[in-house]
Amino acid sequence: MKRKAPSVALIGTGRMAYHLGHALLRAGVELKGLCGRDQGKVDALAAELGCMPYLLPRVPGADLLLLAVSDDAVRTVARQLPKGGHVVAHCSGAQGHAILGRAPHRGVLWPIKSLSPGKPADLSRVPLVVDANDEQARTVLLDVARSISGKVVEMPLEKRRTVHLAAVLASNFPVFLLREAGRLLEQEGLSPELLTPLWKAMSAKVAEVGPEQALTGPARRGDLDTIKRHLERLEEEGDLRRAYALLSELILKAYHPRKRGITDL
Ligand SMILES: NC(=O)c1ccc[n+]([C@@H]2O[C@H](COP(=O)([O-])OP(=O)(O)OC[C@H]3O[C@@H](n4cnc5c(N)ncnc54)[C@H](OP(=O)(O)O)[C@@H]3O)[C@@H](O)[C@H]2O)c1
């Protein structure tokens, strides 16, 4: 006999709750309710997802209570949850399931994706990482995850922490550098949009041929004079200058280990 798909109560009203809520809705998962601490936000997102709003600590009964709250709030919110036979899980790549306290069936459901404001993200090909403390939690989380995405992987905490660190390097830092690059252009009265084609083409190229082949630029070529001129231009930008120098040094070490270090420039 086919097992009934687990129902979910989603807790949180931020970015993850918004995108995950829509993904659950699209997957046909039964959403028992949307819970949060701010009545206005709860009402708005619940209405969008077509489910009942609940002001914490009120939470509806469901097979899975899924916490999409800030990492720092997971422990506090988990303490407020009712006890029962349900599974409790959070969405953080950086935390284990022990943070969920004494919930007997607990785990993690972590999408390896950066979720920011905008239209609901398509999670159907996004890797969803699952980790659980027992068989019940594992079964429920795998069921829910597989209904959302075709790429579900199980991963224990230590490996997840490594993936999380790698995701920050691969996703957060380049975006911040793009912001800083745009800021430099704006200082000169130039539009940051000048960089958009470059950025789009570069991410497509990396996806096509991998970072090893896609990397270009003065440090990759070993052009120390150009690096020196860039560092001179960054004289007034102490922190960014240090970041530029260190990143260039890392690239030179990787591709031109015999070249003189730029700390001398
Ligand atoms: N966004 C991403 O790219 C992403 C990717 C992968 C994993 N995650 C994980 O997803 C989880 C949620 O992140 P997010 O990006 O959705 O963060 P977010 O947009 O900042 O939303 C955080 C949510 O937590 C709620 N919250 C904070 N403290 C609370 C408390 N003490 N009691 C009740 N609710 C509280 C906030 O409520 P208020 O609005 O009322 O303050 C808000 O609904 C985190 O574990 C994060 O690591 C995020």
Side-chain angles (χ1 to χ4, degrees):
M1 200 173 69
K2 199 167 175 251
R3 204 156 19 98
K4 188 175 172 292
S7 59
V8 175
L10 187 56
I11 302 166
T13 50
R15 297 168 183 203
M16 177 60 78
Y18 169 79
H19 291 287
L20 205 49
H22 277 282
L24 290 165
L25 204 61
R26 263 201 306 268
V29 173
E30 187 186 1
L31 259 182
K32 293 282 194 178
L34 189 277
C35 325
R37 62 177 174 177
D38 179 307
Q39 188 76 63
K41 290 181 187 174
V42 173
D43 287 346
L45 188 53
E48 193 170 330
L49 298 175
C51 64
M52 290 291 292
Y54 289 83
L55 195 62
L56 286 170
R58 281 189 66 228
V59 173
D63 299 312
L64 171 62
L65 308 187
L66 191 50
L67 277 73
V69 298
S70 333
D71 291 4
D72 286 352
V74 169
R75 196 186 297 275
T76 317
V77 177
R79 273 199 214 109
Q80 303 174 14
L81 298 179
K83 298 199 177 17
H86 48 248
V87 175
V88 179
H90 65 71
C91 300
S92 170
Q95 302 288 344
H97 43 67
I99 196 173
L100 294 166
R102 286 202 294 263
H105 314 293
R106 48 184 197 272
V108 179
L109 178 66
W110 174 46
I112 307 182
K113 178 156 172 73
S114 175
L115 297 164
S116 37
K119 60 180 179 144
D122 176 7
L123 300 183
S124 61
R125 283 184 295 274
V126 168
L128 290 189
V129 173
V130 163
D131 187 17
N133 78 319
D134 70 0
E135 201 47 39
Q136 180 178 330
R138 180 173 177 266
T139 305
V140 165
L141 286 167
L142 285 176
D143 270 6
V144 171
R146 284 176 182 147
S147 69
I148 297 173
S149 168
K151 287 188 180 174
V152 176
V153 285
E154 293 185 75
M155 204 182 286
L157 179 60
E158 276 316 301
K159 281 217 167 67
R160 220 165 55 240
R161 284 199 165 130
T162 306
V163 178
H164 192 255
L165 164 65
V168 170
L169 288 173
S171 167
N172 300 161
F173 291 162
V175 174
F176 184 75
L177 288 176
L178 183 63
R179 171 200 190 259
E180 291 296 278
R183 186 174 62 76
L184 290 183
L185 291 188
E186 274 176 336
Q187 279 175 5
E188 306 273 338
L190 296 165
S191 166
E193 282 174 19
L194 283 172
L195 300 170
T196 307
L198 180 72
W199 174 255
K200 282 186 176 166
M202 182 48 73
S203 63
K205 190 76 183 169
V206 171
E208 186 192 333
V209 299
E212 204 71 46
Q213 295 296 323
L215 185 65
T216 60
R220 174 68 184 85
R221 290 187 298 273
D223 284 341
L224 295 183
D225 275 354
T226 306
I227 295 174
K228 185 170 177 238
R229 277 199 300 277
H230 286 171
L231 290 172
E232 283 164 7
R233 267 196 100 76
L234 287 169
E235 209 56 66
E236 307 284 304
E237 295 272 353
D239 292 341
L240 194 56
R241 189 181 189 281
R242 274 195 295 282
Y244 182 105
L246 194 52
L247 285 169
S248 298
E249 187 78 57
L250 284 173
I251 298 172
L252 285 169
K253 266 190 192 157
Y255 295 99
H256 303 278
R258 283 175 218 280
K259 286 232 173 188
R260 163 170 74 97
I262 54 165
T263 38
D264 308 330
L265 293 177

